[in-house]
Amino acid sequence: MKKMVIRGGRALKGTVRTGGSKNATLPIMAAALLSDEPSTISGIPMVRDIRTMSELFKILGANAYVDSNMLHVQPDSIKNFSAPYDLVKTMRASIYVLGPLLGKYGKAKVSLPGGCAIGLRPIDLHLMAMKKLGAKIEIKHGYVLASAKKLKGARIVFPKASLGATVNAMLAAVLAQGRTILENASKEPEITECINFLKEMGAKIEGAGTGTITIAGVKKLNGVKKYNVISDRIEAATLIAAAVITKGSVTVENVCTGHLELFFDKLREAGAKFEIKGGSVIVKPYKGRLKAVGITTEPYPGFPTDVQAQWMALMTLAQGDTIIKEKIWENRFMHVPELSRMGADIKIDGNTCIVAGVKKLSGASVMASDLRASAALIIAGLAAEGETEIRRIYHLERGYENLEIKLAGLGANIKLENEDSI
Ligand code: UD1
């Protein structure tokens, strides 16, 4: 097993490029299953979640392979309709195959995802949407068994905006008979991206980003010769936070800046210095300490839950008390005890944290608990005095492509080493 070792205290300098969005690629991959023709998605990040989804496609009988950052999906040979527990438990986005399998083949068996480190992660809204479209749903032996002769369009009102349930409902409805209206649908940019891809496949779907998505079912969908996926807003925010905490001079390129408006507002309020020029964010050094600025995670365009941990890392060194409220996941503060080991002063009260800013962090041995917590510990480690070693860093590989190489390119003293066994 690998650990990450960081010697903090260096101001980052230089230029770094954001990669393609993992959270946009996964729904698009699932959408590609809806055609008999192959699709190619370019600009994808080479991260473990995408390899896991490709593995799942192979189990279903479809092929998915990567060739020079282009992902090719060949969906015409699907003969198995079952997503096994062993894969679903490692990547919850596996649930995205439910909608396309049901919509195209009329059957799907997908393992229940169960809980995970950041919370319960239920799928009741996914199942509610499938039922509204006319599917029969049974839960047996830890699996969702879904079947339908032909799905029929319906009006589906989500009691809560859910990215995953919106993806599944759209992917099931595009081949259904008649019209589907999704209300209180997710407005996340990854949904807009999935809609753009579905439109290229020939789907009739409107309302991206509005909360009401209307779909007129079609009989058949074509493959997409080449689709370039948007850049990863969470990776961009992580790189910017790393530059800011070290008072660096860094240009982060290939940023979908429109997807990070609230993050930029909060950074400005905190006193960070940066400029947005086209698709680049130019971070500049600032004097003194950042000001404490609170956040509440909410569905888009609210503050992203996937940047909560990184924001907290930044605020550990701010002047004053920062209130951080997590409204998406009930157990997403596992980075708190680890940041505290590095000298941060943080109290947890239910879904709220109070971060009392300290003057400095000190390097320590810490443990990563999930993907974004890993990123937060790296950000803290870059600013801390002395050496930080982050164990269980394998979580990072799920969603960041070569983050340590990118940061080393900006002058960070950071490397992956083998963990010593005790
Ligand atoms: C969510 C985030 C996404 C992030 C991902 C991983 C939002 C809106 N979505 O996506 O940005 O990348 O986590 O951190 O911020 N829910 C139900 N029943 C369901 C499905 C969801 O109650 O069937 C609830 C969840 O418990 C959660 C909320 O709805 O409180 C949003 O969940 P959802 O958007 O579906 O989760 P992900 O798709 O994993």
Side-chain angles (χ1 to χ4, degrees):
M1 230 191 271
K2 299 276 186 200
K3 65 179 176 185
M4 192 167 276
V5 182
I6 305 170
R7 279 211 147 261
R10 284 192 189 174
L12 301 185
K13 279 194 182 66
T15 299
V16 65
R17 193 176 163 78
T18 314
S21 163
K22 161 183 97 74
N23 288 347
T25 303
L26 294 168
I28 289 175
M29 285 178 79
L33 294 180
L34 286 161
S35 175
D36 285 329
E37 296 170 6
S39 288
T40 298
I41 308 154
S42 64
I44 58 147
M46 294 299 297
V47 296
R48 199 167 65 236
D49 274 6
I50 289 177
R51 286 196 292 274
T52 308
M53 193 64 129
S54 305
E55 279 307 303
L56 174 56
F57 280 17
K58 284 181 190 144
I59 290 174
L60 301 178
N63 196 8
Y65 61 94
V66 174
D67 182 15
S68 52
N69 269 50
M70 291 221 261
L71 176 78
H72 303 273
V73 180
Q74 290 167 336
D76 57 339
S77 47
I78 293 181
K79 29 189 180 317
N80 177 24
F81 305 94
S82 176
Y85 175 65
D86 283 344
L87 270 182
V88 179
K89 74 166 194 245
T90 64
M91 190 196 55
R92 312 178 56 80
S94 314
I95 192 77
Y96 291 162
V97 300
L98 176 65
L101 290 180
L102 194 55
K104 183 153 188 255
Y105 300 97
K107 52 186 165 183
K109 178 179 171 191
V110 181
S111 167
L112 281 171
C116 81
I118 64 174
L120 278 174
R121 308 197 82 164
I123 58 161
D124 55 316
L125 301 178
H126 301 237
L127 302 185
M128 179 274 279
M130 300 302 128
K131 280 188 200 157
K132 288 261 177 200
L133 293 168
K136 191 173 148 225
I137 304 280
E138 279 180 285
I139 310 281
K140 263 195 191 158
H141 309 300
Y143 279 80
V144 176
L145 308 175
S147 59
K149 270 217 176 80
K150 178 79 186 157
L151 295 178
K152 287 202 174 59
R155 179 168 173 261
I156 302 168
V157 183
F158 291 108
K160 211 177 196 185
S162 153
L163 171 69
T166 305
V167 168
N168 251 329
M170 293 194 306
L171 299 185
V174 281
L175 287 178
Q177 212 167 46
R179 202 157 87 121
T180 297
I181 301 171
L182 307 179
E183 289 189 18
N184 196 21
S186 156
K187 298 177 190 161
E188 314 285 311
E190 294 75 22
I191 292 289
T192 303
E193 192 63 358
C194 186
I195 291 178
N196 290 341
F197 184 80
L198 285 168
K199 279 183 161 173
E200 297 235 346
M201 292 182 85
K204 300 228 177 316
I205 175 164
E206 298 300 334
T210 67
T212 302
I213 297 172
T214 309
I215 302 161
V218 293
K219 289 219 164 79
K220 223 173 152 190
L221 292 166
N222 52 263
V224 178
K225 286 219 168 64
K226 193 171 164 198
Y227 189 89
N228 195 36
V229 77
I230 48 167
S231 82
D232 195 310
R233 59 186 169 125
I234 311 303
E235 187 196 1
T238 303
L239 291 167
I240 293 166
V244 170
I245 203 167
T246 67
K247 297 189 175 176
S249 308
V250 174
T251 300
V252 183
E253 293 179 338
N254 192 33
V255 184
C256 288
T257 54
H259 295 165
L260 284 170
E261 277 175 10
L262 188 54
F263 173 70
F264 291 141
D265 287 348
K266 295 284 177 182
L267 272 181
R268 262 184 221 108
E269 205 184 324
K273 296 270 174 278
F274 62 98
E275 223 186 295
I276 298 171
K277 263 199 185 158
S280 293
V281 178
I282 304 154
V283 177
K284 298 167 184 176
Y286 52 93
K287 289 207 174 68
R289 292 164 68 188
L290 291 178
K291 238 176 38 205
V293 173
I295 55 156
T296 299
T297 68
E298 271 167 318
Y300 188 82
F303 197 92
T305 175
D306 282 350
V307 187
Q308 178 257 107
Q310 298 89 315
W311 188 261
M312 189 183 295
L314 207 51
M315 289 296 107
T316 57
L317 289 172
Q319 203 152 20
D321 289 352
T322 306
I323 312 259
I324 295 183
K325 268 199 179 130
E326 173 57 62
K327 292 216 320 210
I328 306 288
W329 299 117
E330 66 277 16
N331 192 20
R332 206 172 198 180
F333 286 143
M334 281 164 307
H335 38 286
V336 168
E338 306 305 308
L339 289 171
S340 303
R341 286 176 61 77
M342 299 175 73
D345 180 350
I346 309 170
K347 287 187 183 60
I348 305 181
D349 179 10
N351 74 342
T352 303
C353 274
I354 302 160
V355 184
V358 293
K359 285 207 174 109
K360 57 185 185 188
L361 295 173
S362 61
S365 245
V366 291
M367 191 85 88
S369 54
D370 67 64
L371 172 57
R372 307 304 171 186
S374 312
L377 295 175
I378 292 174
I379 290 168
L382 290 171
E385 279 180 355
E387 191 171 280
T388 295
E389 53 168 37
I390 309 171
R391 288 165 188 264
R392 301 204 182 150
I393 196 65
Y394 57 82
H395 289 289
L396 190 76
E397 292 158 14
R398 268 195 48 216
Y400 289 93
E401 183 179 10
N402 296 333
L403 185 60
E404 74 286 0
I405 295 175
K406 289 187 178 183
L407 292 171
L410 296 173
N413 187 338
I414 181 169
K415 54 185 188 286
L416 278 177
E417 283 181 6
N418 286 324
E419 257 189 34
D420 343 301
S421 44
I422 303 164

